[in-house]
Amino acid sequence: MFKKVLVANRGEIAVRIVRACRDLGIAAVAVYEPDDIGALHVRLANEAHALSGPGSYRNPDEMLAVARRVGVDAVHPGYGLISEHPGFVRACEDVGVVVIGPGSAVLEQVRNKIGAVAQTRAVGIATTYPSSRAFAPDEGAAMLVEAEAIGFPLVVKAHAGGHGRGTHIVRDRESLMPVVIRSSGAAQAFYGDAHIYLEAAMTASRYIEVPVLGDNYGTIIHLGERDGSIQRNTRKVIGESPAPGISQTQREQIWQTALQIARLFGIRGAATIEFVVDDTGQHYFTEIKPRIQVEHLATEMITRIDLVREQLRIAAGEPLGYAQEQVRLSGVAMFCRINAEDPWHGYLPSPGHITSFRIPGGPNVRVDTYAYSGANVPVHYDSLLAKLGVWGATREECLNRVHRALQEFQISGVRTNLGLLRLIVNDPEFVAGTYTTESSQRPLMDGPPPDDNLGDLAAVVALAFLSRIQSANPSTPPAFTSGWYRDSRKLPS
Amino acid sequence: MFKKVLVANRGEIAVRIVRACRDLGIAAVAVYEPDDIGALHVRLANEAHALSGPGSYRNPDEMLAVARRVGVDAVHPGYGLISEHPGFVRACEDVGVVVIGPGSAVLEQVRNKIGAVAQTRAVGIATTYPSSRAFAPDEGAAMLVEAEAIGFPLVVKAHAGGHGRGTHIVRDRESLMPVVIRSSGAAQAFYGDAHIYLEAAMTASRYIEVPVLGDNYGTIIHLGERDGSIQRNTRKVIGESPAPGISQTQREQIWQTALQIARLFGIRGAATIEFVVDDTGQHYFTEIKPRIQVEHLATEMITRIDLVREQLRIAAGEPLGYAQEQVRLSGVAMFCRINAEDPWHGYLPSPGHITSFRIPGGPNVRVDTYAYSGANVPVHYDSLLAKLGVWGATREECLNRVHRALQEFQISGVRTNLGLLRLIVNDPEFVAGTYTTESSQRPLMDGPPPDDNLGDLAAVVALAFLSRIQSANPSTPPAFTSGWYRDSRKLPS
Amino acid sequence: MRKIQVTIDGAEFTVEVGDLSTKDGFVTATVNGVPTRVAVSSLAAPEAIQWAVVDTRPYELLIDHDLRWTQSPRGRHTLNVRDMDAGVARPASTDARIKAPIPGVVVRLLVEVGQEVVADQPVLVLEAMKMENEIRAARSGRVASLNARPGQSVKLHELLAEIV
Amino acid sequence: MRKIQVTIDGAEFTVEVGDLSTKDGFVTATVNGVPTRVAVSSLAAPEAIQWAVVDTRPYELLIDHDLRWTQSPRGRHTLNVRDMDAGVARPASTDARIKAPIPGVVVRLLVEVGQEVVADQPVLVLEAMKMENEIRAARSGRVASLNARPGQSVKLHELLAEIV
């Protein structure tokens, strides 16, 4: 096993990796940009090294220099930042530092989404039907030819990102170019790459994803499936495992397809094979995510397998040590992303100082976070504050508990999406488990929450009004007193 | 199932019960003494009722009055306070309010420790060997007669409490009465009852306890065994399940004995059957604890069974719904009690305002607590702040994780025993799992922690010294600037 | 006795509040004629976690600094509050100034000084936390000043523009 | 340059501290002749959770108000600190006053006014948090005053007795 691992990330995932290292007796080496020196991942590490300045977390050269200077056995890049930077992975491989991930060869294969789909379809697996290549926005003529071949309606997608951002449907020939311009602009803004590709439209009913683990000795197993259909502001904020809307037969078929694909690409470590399921129940491969994910929290709770630990063990050359039959998929787990953002003001991100932070507890509730009372949410980084995971023996038990946990979770000082998450888990389609990708289009934030006693709130608000008038203090910062905020867009990571 | 349950307690156990109710969809009714109105168990409940004043949590009449006025189906008394008040349980039964516990008949049987032991021995089960009855401290002559019959050495024990407090060994006839006076005084102070009893001394090697669940339809199951041998200041601050120092054969024999005893007493709901194991490996029944316990946290983690939920279900008349074979004892779990007290100053309790409270997270770590940053630790109640539970697939994994979790757990504003717990889990006997009841006698707090770099700490302390001299503020409360505090003693609960 | 009008999600309540400093900490508040007993944590601190017990009903709430909204564990409500005697109201009438709601870097200006804008029209784009955020006018009017240039870093609450 | 003597668990260190306000937040502290670079959170707040990075080694610490002890995630250390130039030392010399370390109720007095006591001798019993706590003299001397009666409730830091 490794003696020393560089955690090449920040925030909750860096904390998560430090914990996994310490639980294995591995020394965890943190890095920090100067502003982040007091951050939790630094405090909890065995060793901490300063990076040169803002932006260094994204600098593969600087990260490699630290890895070599400190003399680590391996680097865990987490997700985002440099986790899927092929140049970084190759440079590490060249100097004999293990990168905990798929290896540069597999990484390049799976990052080419059109190629990965073609390779998969070539062995007879149903996939979505994309154009033969990606296009720059000025290749209008070539796009039209492919579009006619695919037929309308079709979907324009960003080549560099995951599904969601930059995805738009095109119903006829005339609309193609205006939509391409829009998609391409969004792709440039979100992912730093203006290329788009076309795909045959299908009535996607659900997004189903299968996490897999593969070791260096030919063992590849799946860990059940998750439903990732619910998105808000084009992000997955909540999900569950197992997926509620598919039959046991479908489930087992999807697992088998996922294993077949994982073997085809020679997956090592942790990865997720993603599918869309159409309204007839057929599943189609879309892409492979070759990294640890926020969503893995739900998988960890139904399997009791620590997936970061497994990543470390596999990368260190240990055999998995158990077979598919020994993986017990037990109960139901849900995960929520808690973001520092204001869903009521266009998802405006909300950096600042956390004045109170009370996380839910009790049985079968887990929170992974870098935050605590008194922590800062820096302005330079992603808005993910915390991951909440909840487990129940049955879906009903899990639902009751996720309700309860979201009610207990209280954060002040920065805005969060907790209010939105509470609305989602109260939504009848979510409770019934009958939601589809369409459900995310319905607005949730219009009506008042059903079970608040408004008269009581009126009394409390009246008292707040009186006490604030009495203690009026002109030095109180007049946050959000003017301006409206809309259409926040993700920048390239 | 019940619609509405009164939570007749405060602190972490009240929060724990509120959570279990909400996870089952039951309305939880909290009560509060006036000082406690802002406490977490009140905030999280569906309904909250004021009690008349300080001491009301211990007042069975007032609690029954609330239960009747509010119209609850059942009362969960938790542990301590009125949880084993036979009069309260009987009064509730008389008016048709279910008390979540063993019922008054069983409660009275198991509270009489000498009687329970005699009843158990009568069916051929090995037990400790107590005197035939309890004695008031002035019954010297009668005690001497019994002492001669038992033989020396023997042990003097408080009749009202658990093992530990008021327990002293007597090696000869001459020392009996002085020890009785001491024990009896301690028993009066701790439990409000000066009665003591005598017991044959045995070289107790370990305290082993078996949690059991019984429903109203004859199903009684065990949930593995825990080791409760480690005590500091006569309290169990850490424990684990399964017990590390016994063989699989012993383990199974103890389970069978526990089930036999549980059936003998007709246990309903959750209870714990306690044993001492001597240095030859023989086990002897000592007593039954018919309530939820802090220690159950470890049991919940190895079984994934929510024991408060099971208490509620059984009390509502539901069958257990699973058999012994369906209970999977998986991995290793440890629990720690985090107390607001200062082990370096005679375990002086430390009430006050919590200025920061950061709990450990990540996989397989659980914290149950009423505390948070900004919470008050009231001066009137018990010092238990939080329960920490940690699970691992193996004991080694669990040990690494409990180390890590205790290092992450940070509380300021009140003193805690976190420093002591960190020393215990570093102790070679604890790490090896070879500890016995004797281990608790060894001092841990003399040497410095081994792996701190003292030169670094010197640099940090020098900076703290300089910055405090510069910001010297006469209004800062000079806590603990004088006086020494020793020999804190528990008062009757 | 103070008389406050509170509008929550469009529903109007008249709240009469009695003596604020009572012995037992409970204040009597009469809501649309129905008296309730209310105990609260210190409500003066804006956007801290607050607790309240109204009769026997416990609440936890976040209450916006400007009393525009309150968030309960169940969801979120929009607010409007008016003191019926003194005429003070919250939220205060819409401010003419557009301030930076978060620190960030100005990416683009979307209007010019002197230009007429309507409420809700994008005024500039501010980059922060890996997002481009459109900052919009809270009211209609003429852009009287623009205090930011593209590429400029702005602090929290820094004045960006004024609409008159 | 300040020269501080720090004794930790009996081990002595001489710490020379350079300029406290550096650009990058790291202060140079020379410990027994070996220079280290130290970054710390605000250390002025007593008994808050503090962090420090010494060269590349991160720490979390609680530091006692009076610098009697520090608690790291690994355990606890006793401290003694002296400014070798100014002569200021922490902890300060033992106080003659015995104050209530926690609020509680006085159960029993164990000494009388005028009585001679030795350091560590129990002076009274204070009940708090379901415990009887013996409060002892921090130094030897004569009981000059006793400011508490059995049954009396005392506040935190209330003066209980004086030893002269």
Side-chain angles (χ1 to χ4, degrees), chain A residues 422 452 456 482 484 488 491, chain C residues 57 72-73 97 130 133 136:
Chain A
R422 290 173 191 143
D452 268 335
D456 286 356
S482 69
W484 291 98
S488 294
L491 292 173
Chain C
R57 296 176 294 279
S72 80
R97 294 165 302 172
K130 295 173 63 195
N133 307 288
R136 297 184 174 218

Side-chain angles (χ1 to χ4, degrees), chain A residues 344 349 351 358 379 410 412 422 448-449 451-452 456 468 476-477 479 481-484 486 488-489 491, chain C residues 9 43 47 57 59-60 64-65 68 72-74 76-77 97 102-103 127 129-133 136 157:
Chain A
W344 279 267
R358 203 189 68 215
V379 72
Q410 292 287 343
S412 68
R422 290 173 191 143
D451 53 352
D452 268 335
D456 286 356
R468 290 189 193 174
T476 307
T481 49
S482 69
W484 291 98
R486 287 275 167 74
S488 294
R489 286 198 291 244
L491 292 173
Chain C
D9 296 327
L43 288 171
E47 287 186 52
R57 296 176 294 279
Y59 294 89
E60 280 199 319
D64 172 46
H65 175 270
R68 283 178 192 270
S72 80
R74 291 167 202 85
R76 183 169 163 130
H77 306 275
R97 294 165 302 172
I102 46 176
E127 180 190 321
M129 291 186 96
K130 295 173 63 195
M131 307 279 276
E132 288 198 344
N133 307 288
R136 297 184 174 218
H157 302 142

Side-chain angles (χ1 to χ4, degrees), chain A residues 111-123:
Chain A
R111 273 172 62 85
N112 176 356
K113 288 194 272 178
I114 297 172
V117 165
Q119 207 178 329
T120 306
R121 195 169 36 215
V123 301

